[in-house]
Amino acid sequence: MSDLVQQLEKEIAGLKFKASKSNVGTVVEVGDGIARIEGLSEVQASEMIEFPKGIFGIALNLESYGVGAVILGDFTQIKEGDVVKTTGRILEVPVGEDLIRRVVNPLSLPIDGKGVIKSKINYPVEKIAPGVITRQSVNQPLQTGIKSIDATTPIGRGQRELILGDRNTGKTTIAVDTIINQKDVICVYVAIGQKASKVAQIMATLEQFGAMKHTIIVAANASDPAPLQYLAPYSGTAMAEYFMDQGKDVLIVYDDLSKHAVAYRQMSLLLRRPSGREAYPGDVFYLHSRLLERSARLNKDYGGGSLTSLPIIETQAGDVSAYIPTNVISITDGQIYLESDLFYAGVRPAVNVGLSVSRVGGSAQVKAMKSVAGRLKLELAQFRELAAFAQFSSDLDPATKSQIERGRRITEILKQPINAPVPVEEQVAVIWAATSGHMDEIEVERCQEFETGYIKFLKVFKGKPLEIIKEEKEVSEKTQKLLEEAVKSFKKSFR
Amino acid sequence: MAKLNKHLRKLVTKMVKSSINAEGVVNAQMVQKFSRALTSLSLSQSILALSEFIKGLKREINKSSLIVESAVETSPLLQKEIIKTISQHYKIINSQFIINTSLLGGLRVKIGDTLIDNSIRDKVDQLRERITHV
């Protein structure tokens, strides 16, 4: 208590009163989170403006006799005739270590009831993306712990990999599992327009798996006004950029950018900006491109940090050719496409390996995974082709039949329960076993059982092949022999 | 929603500038002349152009209007002194002195879009802002 009094006394003593000079305007119209203001002749674009009762806004439309602004707070408290002041500041949010483990709103104010965040460092929410000089190519993997992704569409640190699919296909689950699998990576989960219950559920899951200790959740829920939803991904990125500037690796998940585009459309229409395709404004591409361009892998001269982003897009009835999905597909460095049909057929995660791509992740993949994944992709591609063909003929030659059978087993081992990321060395060992034909005689239904047992067996097997793969990061001939020896011994005991 | 023609908008801007003389005083004759010209347009364009013209004039008048708020009544001597000081930096055509007891003390001066606040109320607000961050 005495500390607080002393601190208050110190603050008051240090305060120098002076006449304040500001540029002001008057509210002439207010509603739906938007205000029209007359005056403010010296306001800058995107400048923070102050309404009465401590409510802030952002000046977005600078017109000849007034300003169109979005209100970042309770707009019902603002009335016509209220005086608005410029602040001379572009919107900034507090960033720093204090935010880790916390759930905050896009203005970095806590919404988890765990007390005030005492961060003194502020970062602007809008920042120009790192330039060519500061970057280096993606060369380090970011393990998701999901076999089908790490093997077929690997993600590198600094990459932007889109997750897209219909509702209830497991998009968020992939993002959450990826966060759970991180150990040395700071994660930022940005929830845009989600139900508060879903955000609470995600937080509980992350807590349960100990992932909150390296995670920040930025939430602009469905009940929050559109300006806050619009701001959320930019605020989250500012928080992530702080850690990237410290030389750390950061992962950011935008869940989801479809709702972000919808919030921006609402704002733009209320600001009377001209609308284009699907009523989105003309700069909806720039809205996402300037956000995702901030993901980067910085070179050593600039700290060597990285910002990997996983934007999520929800498609309607699998239509990837809609406006927003095509925009974001063209901005990102690849996409993980999730299909409802696969999901309901029990393939979970429902990744369509054929349509999913990673444009830069391949060069970041660990050698061990690269050596086994090449064969896996080939086997799966052949399986897809033959499986489609085999639907029309019942009599198949033995080579085709065995190809299809192997494909079925590979599909089976790529299935994975939720919140159960698999370490890369275990993924390599399992994929190696499947692609080398060691699982061909195992019944498809028992493949997962085989996988679990095989991994358990490898952990206690003499020679410790898993540790060797983990250390060497490649599958040498010696390791292959060891794995072969192990799989043969395990098969004898597997009934 | 109907929009004002681009050329007409430019013309209205010019009309606003021509309606104000070098001293910043509104020329009533010019305003009447321009208003008559604008009413001769089609109804929708005329309404939009006139409203734009009025807005422009209002803004121009506002630029040289001084509003001084104080918690207590200011003496004519002080009023003169205030106008003299402010006119060193801003053009003043008309001035208004208002009593606003919520200021508690000091003065609040508004000229155009610029607000200079030296009231007790503002100082209390500054203090409040400082201590709420502790």
Side-chain angles (χ1 to χ4, degrees), chain A residues 383-465:
Chain A
F383 165 66
R384 276 196 305 274
E385 209 171 293
L386 293 172
F389 175 72
Q391 284 182 342
F392 302 104
S393 76
S394 52
D395 202 15
L396 298 166
D397 63 282
T400 311
K401 221 172 178 179
S402 72
Q403 193 84 59
I404 291 173
E405 286 305 314
R406 187 171 292 179
R408 287 175 65 197
R409 280 159 185 80
I410 291 175
T411 311
E412 205 59 31
I413 60 138
L414 290 181
K415 288 181 186 172
Q416 202 172 322
I418 59 164
N419 305 332
V422 180
V424 69
E425 60 275 13
E426 291 179 17
Q427 293 185 26
V428 170
V430 172
I431 294 169
W432 176 86
T435 53
S436 318
H438 290 291
M439 286 170 74
D440 287 358
E441 59 267 39
I442 311 291
E443 294 150 57
V444 177
E445 296 75 30
R446 295 192 69 197
C447 277
Q448 287 191 24
E449 189 190 332
F450 177 87
E451 183 193 335
T452 320
Y454 174 53
I455 293 299
K456 268 187 195 163
F457 184 76
L458 281 179
K459 281 178 184 166
V460 292
F461 188 69
K462 63 174 168 54
K464 308 267 176 193

Coordinates of all heavy atoms in Angstrom, one line a residue, chain A residues 383-465:
Chain A
F383 N -1.4 -44.1 -55.9 CA -2.5 -44.7 -55.2 C -3.8 -44.0 -55.6 O -4.8 -44.6 -56.0 CB -2.4 -44.7 -53.7 CG -3.6 -45.0 -52.9 CD1 -4.2 -46.2 -53.0 CD2 -4.2 -44.0 -52.1 CE1 -5.4 -46.4 -52.3 CE2 -5.4 -44.2 -51.4 CZ -6.0 -45.4 -51.5
R384 N -3.8 -42.7 -55.6 CA -5.0 -41.9 -56.0 C -5.4 -42.2 -57.4 O -6.6 -42.4 -57.7 CB -4.7 -40.4 -55.8 CG -4.8 -39.9 -54.4 CD -4.9 -38.3 -54.4 NE -3.8 -37.7 -55.0 CZ -2.6 -37.5 -54.4 NH1 -2.5 -37.8 -53.1 NH2 -1.6 -36.9 -55.0
E385 N -4.4 -42.2 -58.3 CA -4.7 -42.5 -59.7 C -5.3 -43.9 -59.9 O -6.3 -44.0 -60.5 CB -3.4 -42.3 -60.5 CG -3.6 -41.9 -61.9 CD -2.3 -41.6 -62.5 OE1 -1.6 -40.6 -62.1 OE2 -1.9 -42.3 -63.4
L386 N -4.7 -44.8 -59.3 CA -5.1 -46.2 -59.4 C -6.4 -46.5 -58.7 O -7.3 -47.2 -59.2 CB -4.1 -47.2 -58.9 CG -2.7 -47.3 -59.7 CD1 -1.7 -48.1 -59.0 CD2 -3.0 -47.8 -61.1
A387 N -6.6 -45.8 -57.6 CA -7.9 -46.0 -56.8 C -9.0 -45.5 -57.6 O -10.1 -46.2 -57.6 CB -7.8 -45.3 -55.5
A388 N -8.9 -44.4 -58.3 CA -10.0 -43.9 -59.1 C -10.2 -44.8 -60.3 O -11.4 -45.1 -60.6 CB -9.6 -42.5 -59.6
F389 N -9.2 -45.4 -60.8 CA -9.3 -46.3 -62.0 C -9.9 -47.6 -61.6 O -10.8 -48.2 -62.2 CB -7.9 -46.5 -62.6 CG -7.8 -47.5 -63.7 CD1 -8.4 -47.2 -64.9 CD2 -7.2 -48.7 -63.5 CE1 -8.3 -48.1 -66.0 CE2 -7.2 -49.6 -64.5 CZ -7.7 -49.3 -65.8
A390 N -9.5 -48.1 -60.4 CA -9.9 -49.4 -59.9 C -11.4 -49.4 -59.6 O -12.0 -50.5 -59.5 CB -9.1 -49.8 -58.6
Q391 N -12.0 -48.3 -59.4 CA -13.5 -48.3 -59.1 C -14.3 -48.9 -60.3 O -15.4 -49.4 -60.1 CB -13.9 -46.8 -58.9 CG -13.5 -46.3 -57.6 CD -14.0 -44.9 -57.3 OE1 -14.3 -44.2 -58.3 NE2 -14.0 -44.5 -56.1
F392 N -13.7 -48.8 -61.5 CA -14.4 -49.3 -62.7 C -14.1 -50.7 -63.1 O -14.7 -51.3 -63.9 CB -14.1 -48.4 -63.9 CG -14.5 -46.9 -63.6 CD1 -13.6 -46.0 -63.3 CD2 -15.9 -46.6 -63.5 CE1 -13.9 -44.7 -63.0 CE2 -16.2 -45.3 -63.2 CZ -15.3 -44.3 -62.9
S393 N -13.0 -51.3 -62.5 CA -12.7 -52.7 -62.8 C -12.5 -53.5 -61.6 O -11.8 -53.0 -60.7 CB -11.5 -52.7 -63.8 OG -10.3 -52.5 -63.0
S394 N -13.0 -54.7 -61.6 CA -12.8 -55.5 -60.4 C -11.6 -56.4 -60.5 O -11.0 -56.8 -59.5 CB -14.1 -56.4 -60.3 OG -14.3 -57.1 -61.5
D395 N -11.2 -56.7 -61.8 CA -10.0 -57.6 -61.9 C -8.8 -56.8 -62.2 O -8.6 -56.2 -63.2 CB -10.3 -58.5 -63.2 CG -9.5 -59.8 -63.1 OD1 -8.9 -60.1 -62.0 OD2 -9.4 -60.5 -64.1
L396 N -7.9 -56.8 -61.2 CA -6.7 -56.0 -61.3 C -5.5 -56.9 -61.3 O -5.4 -58.0 -60.6 CB -6.6 -55.0 -60.1 CG -7.7 -54.0 -59.9 CD1 -7.7 -53.4 -58.6 CD2 -7.6 -52.9 -61.0
D397 N -4.4 -56.4 -61.9 CA -3.2 -57.2 -61.9 C -2.5 -57.1 -60.6 O -2.7 -56.1 -59.8 CB -2.2 -56.8 -63.1 CG -1.8 -55.4 -62.9 OD1 -2.6 -54.4 -63.2 OD2 -0.7 -55.1 -62.4
P398 N -1.7 -58.1 -60.2 CA -1.1 -58.0 -58.8 C -0.3 -56.8 -58.5 O -0.4 -56.3 -57.4 CB -0.2 -59.3 -58.8 CG -0.6 -60.1 -60.0 CD -1.2 -59.2 -61.0
A399 N 0.4 -56.2 -59.5 CA 1.2 -55.0 -59.2 C 0.3 -53.8 -58.8 O 0.6 -53.1 -57.8 CB 2.0 -54.6 -60.4
T400 N -0.8 -53.7 -59.6 CA -1.7 -52.6 -59.3 C -2.4 -52.8 -57.9 O -2.5 -51.9 -57.1 CB -2.8 -52.5 -60.4 OG1 -2.2 -52.6 -61.6 CG2 -3.7 -51.3 -60.3
K401 N -2.7 -54.1 -57.7 CA -3.4 -54.4 -56.4 C -2.5 -54.1 -55.2 O -3.0 -53.5 -54.2 CB -3.7 -55.9 -56.4 CG -5.1 -56.2 -55.9 CD -5.4 -57.6 -56.1 CE -6.7 -58.0 -55.5 NZ -7.1 -59.4 -55.7
S402 N -1.2 -54.4 -55.3 CA -0.3 -54.2 -54.2 C -0.1 -52.7 -54.0 O 0.0 -52.2 -52.9 CB 1.0 -54.9 -54.4 OG 1.8 -54.3 -55.4
Q403 N -0.1 -52.0 -55.1 CA 0.1 -50.5 -55.1 C -1.1 -49.9 -54.3 O -0.9 -49.0 -53.4 CB 0.1 -49.9 -56.5 CG 0.6 -48.5 -56.6 CD 2.1 -48.4 -56.7 OE1 2.7 -49.0 -57.6 NE2 2.6 -47.7 -55.7
I404 N -2.3 -50.4 -54.7 CA -3.5 -49.8 -54.0 C -3.5 -50.2 -52.5 O -3.8 -49.4 -51.6 CB -4.8 -50.4 -54.7 CG1 -4.9 -49.7 -56.1 CG2 -6.0 -50.1 -53.9 CD1 -6.0 -50.3 -56.9
E405 N -3.1 -51.4 -52.2 CA -3.1 -51.9 -50.8 C -2.1 -51.0 -50.0 O -2.4 -50.6 -48.9 CB -2.7 -53.4 -50.8 CG -3.8 -54.3 -51.2 CD -5.1 -54.1 -50.4 OE1 -5.0 -54.0 -49.2 OE2 -6.2 -54.0 -51.0
R406 N -0.9 -50.8 -50.6 CA 0.1 -49.9 -49.9 C -0.5 -48.5 -49.7 O -0.3 -48.0 -48.6 CB 1.4 -49.9 -50.7 CG 2.5 -49.2 -49.9 CD 3.8 -49.3 -50.5 NE 4.3 -50.6 -50.4 CZ 5.5 -51.0 -50.9 NH1 6.3 -50.1 -51.5 NH2 5.9 -52.2 -50.9
G407 N -1.1 -48.0 -50.7 CA -1.7 -46.7 -50.6 C -2.7 -46.6 -49.5 O -2.8 -45.6 -48.7
R408 N -3.5 -47.7 -49.3 CA -4.5 -47.7 -48.2 C -3.8 -47.7 -46.9 O -4.3 -47.0 -45.9 CB -5.4 -48.9 -48.4 CG -6.4 -48.8 -49.5 CD -7.2 -50.1 -49.7 NE -8.1 -50.3 -48.6 CZ -8.6 -51.5 -48.3 NH1 -8.4 -52.5 -49.2 NH2 -9.4 -51.7 -47.3
R409 N -2.7 -48.4 -46.8 CA -2.0 -48.4 -45.5 C -1.3 -47.1 -45.2 O -1.3 -46.6 -44.0 CB -0.9 -49.5 -45.5 CG -1.6 -50.9 -45.3 CD -0.8 -52.1 -45.7 NE -1.6 -53.3 -45.5 CZ -2.6 -53.7 -46.3 NH1 -2.9 -53.0 -47.4 NH2 -3.3 -54.8 -46.0
I410 N -0.8 -46.5 -46.3 CA -0.2 -45.2 -46.0 C -1.2 -44.2 -45.6 O -1.0 -43.4 -44.6 CB 0.6 -44.7 -47.3 CG1 1.8 -45.6 -47.6 CG2 1.0 -43.2 -47.2 CD1 2.5 -45.3 -48.9
T411 N -2.4 -44.2 -46.2 CA -3.5 -43.3 -45.8 C -3.8 -43.5 -44.4 O -4.1 -42.6 -43.6 CB -4.7 -43.5 -46.7 OG1 -4.3 -43.5 -48.1 CG2 -5.8 -42.5 -46.5
E412 N -3.8 -44.8 -44.0 CA -4.1 -45.1 -42.6 C -3.1 -44.6 -41.6 O -3.5 -44.0 -40.6 CB -4.2 -46.7 -42.5 CG -5.1 -47.2 -41.4 CD -6.6 -46.8 -41.5 OE1 -7.1 -46.5 -42.6 OE2 -7.2 -46.6 -40.4
I413 N -1.8 -44.7 -42.0 CA -0.8 -44.2 -41.0 C -0.8 -42.7 -40.9 O -0.2 -42.1 -40.0 CB 0.6 -44.8 -41.2 CG1 1.1 -44.4 -42.6 CG2 0.6 -46.2 -40.9 CD1 2.5 -44.0 -42.6
L414 N -1.4 -42.0 -42.0 CA -1.4 -40.5 -41.9 C -2.5 -40.0 -41.0 O -2.6 -38.8 -40.7 CB -1.5 -39.9 -43.3 CG -0.2 -40.1 -44.2 CD1 -0.4 -39.4 -45.6 CD2 1.0 -39.5 -43.6
K415 N -3.4 -40.9 -40.6 CA -4.5 -40.5 -39.7 C -3.9 -40.3 -38.3 O -2.9 -40.9 -38.0 CB -5.5 -41.6 -39.6 CG -6.4 -41.7 -40.9 CD -7.4 -42.8 -40.7 CE -8.2 -43.1 -42.0 NZ -9.1 -44.2 -41.9
Q416 N -4.4 -39.3 -37.6 CA -3.9 -39.0 -36.3 C -4.9 -38.4 -35.4 O -5.8 -37.6 -35.9 CB -2.8 -37.9 -36.6 CG -1.8 -37.7 -35.6 CD -0.7 -36.8 -36.1 OE1 -0.3 -36.8 -37.2 NE2 -0.2 -35.9 -35.2
P417 N -5.0 -38.8 -34.1 CA -6.0 -38.2 -33.2 C -5.6 -36.7 -33.0 O -4.5 -36.3 -33.1 CB -5.9 -39.0 -32.0 CG -4.6 -39.6 -32.0 CD -4.1 -39.7 -33.5
I418 N -6.6 -36.0 -32.5 CA -6.4 -34.5 -32.2 C -5.5 -34.4 -30.9 O -5.5 -35.3 -30.1 CB -7.7 -33.7 -32.0 CG1 -8.6 -34.2 -30.9 CG2 -8.4 -33.6 -33.3 CD1 -9.7 -33.2 -30.5
N419 N -4.8 -33.3 -30.9 CA -4.0 -32.9 -29.7 C -2.9 -34.0 -29.4 O -2.6 -34.2 -28.3 CB -4.8 -32.6 -28.5 CG -5.8 -31.6 -28.7 OD1 -5.7 -30.7 -29.6 ND2 -6.9 -31.6 -28.0
A420 N -2.5 -34.7 -30.4 CA -1.4 -35.7 -30.2 C -0.4 -35.5 -31.3 O -0.2 -36.4 -32.2 CB -2.1 -37.1 -30.3
P421 N 0.4 -34.5 -31.2 CA 1.5 -34.3 -32.2 C 2.6 -35.4 -32.0 O 2.8 -35.9 -30.9 CB 2.1 -32.9 -31.9 CG 1.5 -32.5 -30.5 CD 0.4 -33.4 -30.2
V422 N 3.1 -35.7 -33.2 CA 4.1 -36.8 -33.2 C 5.5 -36.2 -33.5 O 5.6 -35.4 -34.4 CB 3.8 -37.8 -34.3 CG1 4.8 -39.0 -34.4 CG2 2.3 -38.4 -34.1
P423 N 6.5 -36.5 -32.7 CA 7.9 -36.0 -33.0 C 8.4 -36.5 -34.3 O 8.0 -37.5 -34.8 CB 8.7 -36.6 -31.8 CG 7.8 -37.1 -30.8 CD 6.5 -37.4 -31.5
V424 N 9.2 -35.6 -34.9 CA 9.6 -35.9 -36.3 C 10.3 -37.2 -36.5 O 10.1 -37.9 -37.5 CB 10.5 -34.7 -36.8 CG1 11.8 -34.6 -36.2 CG2 10.6 -34.8 -38.3
E425 N 11.1 -37.7 -35.5 CA 11.9 -38.9 -35.7 C 10.9 -40.1 -35.7 O 11.1 -41.1 -36.4 CB 12.9 -39.1 -34.6 CG 12.4 -39.1 -33.1 CD 12.3 -37.8 -32.5 OE1 12.3 -36.8 -33.3 OE2 12.1 -37.7 -31.3
E426 N 9.8 -40.0 -34.9 CA 8.8 -41.1 -34.9 C 8.0 -41.1 -36.3 O 7.7 -42.1 -36.8 CB 7.8 -40.9 -33.8 CG 8.4 -41.1 -32.4 CD 7.5 -40.9 -31.3 OE1 6.3 -40.9 -31.5 OE2 8.0 -40.8 -30.1
Q427 N 7.8 -39.9 -36.8 CA 7.1 -39.8 -38.1 C 7.9 -40.4 -39.2 O 7.4 -41.2 -40.0 CB 6.9 -38.3 -38.5 CG 6.0 -37.5 -37.6 CD 5.8 -36.1 -38.1 OE1 5.9 -35.8 -39.3 NE2 5.4 -35.2 -37.3
V428 N 9.2 -40.2 -39.1 CA 10.2 -40.7 -40.1 C 10.2 -42.2 -40.0 O 10.0 -42.9 -41.1 CB 11.6 -40.2 -39.9 CG1 12.6 -40.9 -40.8 CG2 11.6 -38.7 -40.2
A429 N 10.2 -42.8 -38.8 CA 10.3 -44.2 -38.6 C 9.0 -44.9 -39.2 O 9.1 -45.9 -39.9 CB 10.5 -44.5 -37.2
V430 N 7.9 -44.3 -38.9 CA 6.6 -44.9 -39.3 C 6.5 -44.8 -40.9 O 6.1 -45.8 -41.5 CB 5.4 -44.2 -38.6 CG1 4.1 -44.7 -39.2 CG2 5.5 -44.5 -37.1
I431 N 6.8 -43.6 -41.4 CA 6.6 -43.5 -42.9 C 7.6 -44.4 -43.6 O 7.3 -45.0 -44.6 CB 6.8 -42.0 -43.3 CG1 5.6 -41.1 -42.7 CG2 6.8 -41.8 -44.8 CD1 5.8 -39.6 -42.8
W432 N 8.8 -44.5 -43.0 CA 9.8 -45.4 -43.6 C 9.2 -46.8 -43.7 O 9.3 -47.5 -44.7 CB 11.1 -45.3 -42.8 CG 12.1 -46.3 -43.3 CD1 13.0 -46.1 -44.3 CD2 12.3 -47.6 -42.9 NE1 13.8 -47.2 -44.6 CE2 13.4 -48.2 -43.7 CE3 11.7 -48.4 -41.9 CZ2 13.8 -49.5 -43.5 CZ3 12.2 -49.7 -41.8 CH2 13.2 -50.3 -42.6
A433 N 8.7 -47.2 -42.6 CA 8.1 -48.6 -42.5 C 7.0 -48.8 -43.5 O 7.0 -49.9 -44.2 CB 7.6 -48.9 -41.1
A434 N 6.2 -47.8 -43.7 CA 5.0 -48.0 -44.6 C 5.5 -48.0 -46.1 O 5.0 -48.8 -46.9 CB 4.0 -46.9 -44.4
T435 N 6.4 -47.0 -46.4 CA 6.8 -46.9 -47.8 C 7.8 -48.0 -48.2 O 8.0 -48.2 -49.4 CB 7.4 -45.5 -48.0 OG1 8.4 -45.3 -47.1 CG2 6.4 -44.4 -48.0
S436 N 8.4 -48.6 -47.2 CA 9.4 -49.7 -47.6 C 8.7 -51.0 -47.7 O 9.3 -52.1 -47.9 CB 10.5 -49.8 -46.6 OG 10.9 -48.6 -46.2
G437 N 7.4 -51.0 -47.5 CA 6.6 -52.3 -47.7 C 6.5 -53.2 -46.5 O 6.0 -54.3 -46.5
H438 N 7.0 -52.7 -45.3 CA 7.0 -53.5 -44.1 C 5.6 -53.6 -43.5 O 5.4 -54.4 -42.6 CB 8.0 -52.9 -43.1 CG 9.4 -53.1 -43.5 ND1 10.1 -54.3 -43.6 CD2 10.3 -52.2 -43.9 CE1 11.3 -54.1 -44.0 NE2 11.5 -52.8 -44.2
M439 N 4.7 -52.8 -44.0 CA 3.4 -52.9 -43.4 C 2.4 -53.5 -44.4 O 1.2 -53.5 -44.1 CB 2.9 -51.5 -43.0 CG 3.6 -51.0 -41.7 SD 3.2 -49.2 -41.4 CE 1.6 -49.3 -40.9
D440 N 2.9 -54.0 -45.5 CA 2.0 -54.5 -46.6 C 1.2 -55.7 -46.1 O 0.0 -55.8 -46.5 CB 2.8 -54.9 -47.8 CG 3.3 -53.7 -48.6 OD1 3.0 -52.6 -48.1 OD2 4.1 -53.8 -49.5
E441 N 1.8 -56.5 -45.2 CA 1.0 -57.7 -44.7 C 0.1 -57.4 -43.5 O -0.6 -58.3 -43.0 CB 1.9 -58.9 -44.5 CG 3.0 -58.7 -43.6 CD 4.3 -58.3 -44.2 OE1 4.3 -57.4 -45.2 OE2 5.4 -58.7 -43.8
I442 N 0.2 -56.2 -43.0 CA -0.6 -55.8 -41.8 C -2.0 -55.5 -42.4 O -2.1 -54.8 -43.4 CB 0.0 -54.6 -41.0 CG1 1.5 -54.8 -40.7 CG2 -0.8 -54.3 -39.8 CD1 1.8 -55.9 -39.7
E443 N -3.1 -55.9 -41.7 CA -4.4 -55.5 -42.1 C -4.6 -54.0 -42.0 O -4.1 -53.4 -41.0 CB -5.5 -56.2 -41.2 CG -5.5 -57.7 -41.4 CD -5.9 -58.4 -40.1 OE1 -7.0 -58.1 -39.6 OE2 -5.1 -59.2 -39.6
V444 N -5.3 -53.4 -42.9 CA -5.5 -52.0 -42.9 C -6.1 -51.5 -41.6 O -5.6 -50.5 -41.0 CB -6.4 -51.5 -44.1 CG1 -6.7 -50.0 -44.1 CG2 -5.8 -51.9 -45.4
E445 N -7.0 -52.2 -41.0 CA -7.7 -51.8 -39.8 C -6.7 -51.8 -38.6 O -7.0 -51.1 -37.6 CB -8.9 -52.8 -39.5 CG -10.0 -52.7 -40.5 CD -9.7 -53.5 -41.8 OE1 -8.9 -54.4 -41.7 OE2 -10.2 -53.1 -42.8
R446 N -5.6 -52.6 -38.7 CA -4.7 -52.7 -37.6 C -3.5 -51.8 -37.8 O -2.5 -51.9 -37.0 CB -4.4 -54.1 -37.4 CG -5.5 -55.0 -37.0 CD -5.1 -56.4 -36.5 NE -4.4 -56.3 -35.3 CZ -3.6 -57.3 -34.8 NH1 -3.5 -58.4 -35.5 NH2 -3.0 -57.2 -33.6
C447 N -3.4 -51.1 -38.8 CA -2.3 -50.2 -39.1 C -1.9 -49.3 -38.0 O -0.7 -49.1 -37.6 CB -2.4 -49.4 -40.4 SG -2.1 -50.4 -41.8
Q448 N -2.9 -48.6 -37.4 CA -2.7 -47.7 -36.4 C -2.2 -48.3 -35.1 O -1.3 -47.8 -34.4 CB -3.9 -46.8 -36.1 CG -4.1 -45.8 -37.2 CD -5.2 -44.8 -36.9 OE1 -5.5 -44.5 -35.8 NE2 -5.7 -44.3 -38.0
E449 N -2.8 -49.5 -34.9 CA -2.3 -50.3 -33.7 C -0.9 -50.7 -33.9 O -0.1 -50.6 -32.9 CB -3.2 -51.6 -33.6 CG -3.1 -52.4 -32.4 CD -3.8 -53.7 -32.5 OE1 -4.8 -53.8 -33.3 OE2 -3.4 -54.7 -31.9
F450 N -0.6 -51.1 -35.1 CA 0.8 -51.5 -35.5 C 1.8 -50.3 -35.2 O 2.8 -50.4 -34.6 CB 0.9 -51.9 -36.9 CG 2.3 -52.3 -37.4 CD1 2.8 -53.6 -37.2 CD2 3.1 -51.4 -38.0 CE1 4.1 -53.9 -37.6 CE2 4.4 -51.7 -38.4 CZ 4.9 -53.0 -38.2
E451 N 1.3 -49.1 -35.7 CA 2.1 -47.9 -35.6 C 2.5 -47.6 -34.1 O 3.6 -47.4 -33.7 CB 1.4 -46.7 -36.2 CG 2.2 -45.5 -36.2 CD 1.3 -44.2 -36.5 OE1 0.3 -44.4 -37.2 OE2 1.7 -43.2 -36.1
T452 N 1.4 -47.7 -33.2 CA 1.6 -47.4 -31.8 C 2.6 -48.4 -31.2 O 3.5 -48.0 -30.5 CB 0.3 -47.4 -31.1 OG1 -0.7 -46.9 -31.9 CG2 0.3 -46.7 -29.8
G453 N 2.4 -49.6 -31.5 CA 3.3 -50.7 -30.9 C 4.7 -50.5 -31.4 O 5.7 -50.6 -30.7
Y454 N 4.8 -50.2 -32.7 CA 6.1 -50.1 -33.3 C 6.9 -49.0 -32.7 O 8.1 -49.1 -32.4 CB 5.9 -49.9 -34.8 CG 7.1 -49.6 -35.7 CD1 8.2 -50.5 -35.6 CD2 7.2 -48.5 -36.5 CE1 9.4 -50.2 -36.4 CE2 8.3 -48.2 -37.3 CZ 9.4 -49.1 -37.3 OH 10.5 -48.8 -38.0
I455 N 6.3 -47.9 -32.5 CA 7.0 -46.7 -31.9 C 7.4 -47.1 -30.5 O 8.6 -46.8 -30.1 CB 6.1 -45.4 -31.9 CG1 5.8 -45.0 -33.3 CG2 6.6 -44.3 -31.0 CD1 7.1 -44.5 -34.1
K456 N 6.5 -47.7 -29.7 CA 6.9 -48.1 -28.3 C 8.1 -49.0 -28.4 O 9.0 -48.9 -27.6 CB 5.7 -48.8 -27.7 CG 4.7 -47.9 -27.0 CD 3.7 -48.7 -26.2 CE 2.6 -47.8 -25.8 NZ 1.4 -48.6 -25.4
F457 N 8.0 -50.0 -29.4 CA 9.1 -50.9 -29.5 C 10.4 -50.2 -29.8 O 11.5 -50.6 -29.3 CB 8.7 -51.9 -30.6 CG 9.7 -53.1 -30.8 CD1 9.7 -54.1 -29.9 CD2 10.6 -53.1 -31.8 CE1 10.7 -55.2 -30.0 CE2 11.5 -54.1 -32.0 CZ 11.6 -55.1 -31.1
L458 N 10.4 -49.3 -30.8 CA 11.6 -48.5 -31.2 C 12.2 -47.8 -30.0 O 13.5 -47.7 -30.0 CB 11.3 -47.5 -32.3 CG 11.1 -48.1 -33.7 CD1 10.8 -47.0 -34.7 CD2 12.3 -48.8 -34.2
K459 N 11.4 -47.3 -29.1 CA 11.9 -46.6 -28.0 C 12.8 -47.4 -27.1 O 13.7 -46.9 -26.4 CB 10.8 -45.9 -27.2 CG 10.2 -44.7 -27.8 CD 9.1 -44.1 -27.1 CE 8.5 -42.9 -27.8 NZ 7.2 -42.5 -27.3
V460 N 12.5 -48.7 -27.0 CA 13.3 -49.6 -26.1 C 14.3 -50.5 -26.9 O 15.0 -51.3 -26.4 CB 12.4 -50.5 -25.3 CG1 11.6 -49.6 -24.3 CG2 11.4 -51.3 -26.1
F461 N 14.2 -50.4 -28.3 CA 15.0 -51.2 -29.1 C 16.5 -50.9 -28.9 O 16.9 -49.7 -28.9 CB 14.6 -51.1 -30.6 CG 15.3 -52.1 -31.5 CD1 15.0 -53.4 -31.4 CD2 16.2 -51.7 -32.4 CE1 15.6 -54.4 -32.3 CE2 16.8 -52.6 -33.3 CZ 16.5 -53.9 -33.2
K462 N 17.4 -51.9 -28.9 CA 18.8 -51.7 -28.8 C 19.3 -50.9 -30.0 O 18.9 -51.1 -31.1 CB 19.6 -53.0 -28.6 CG 19.5 -53.9 -29.8 CD 20.4 -55.1 -29.6 CE 20.1 -56.2 -30.6 NZ 20.2 -56.0 -32.0
G463 N 20.2 -50.0 -29.7 CA 20.8 -49.2 -30.8 C 20.0 -47.8 -30.9 O 20.5 -46.9 -31.5
K464 N 18.9 -47.8 -30.3 CA 18.0 -46.5 -30.2 C 17.9 -45.8 -31.6 O 18.5 -44.7 -31.7 CB 18.6 -45.6 -29.2 CG 18.9 -46.2 -27.8 CD 17.7 -46.0 -26.9 CE 17.9 -46.7 -25.6 NZ 16.7 -46.8 -24.8
P465 N 17.3 -46.4 -32.5 CA 17.2 -45.7 -33.9 C 16.5 -44.4 -33.8 O 17.0 -43.5 -34.6 CB 16.4 -46.7 -34.7 CG 15.7 -47.6 -33.7 CD 16.6 -47.7 -32.5

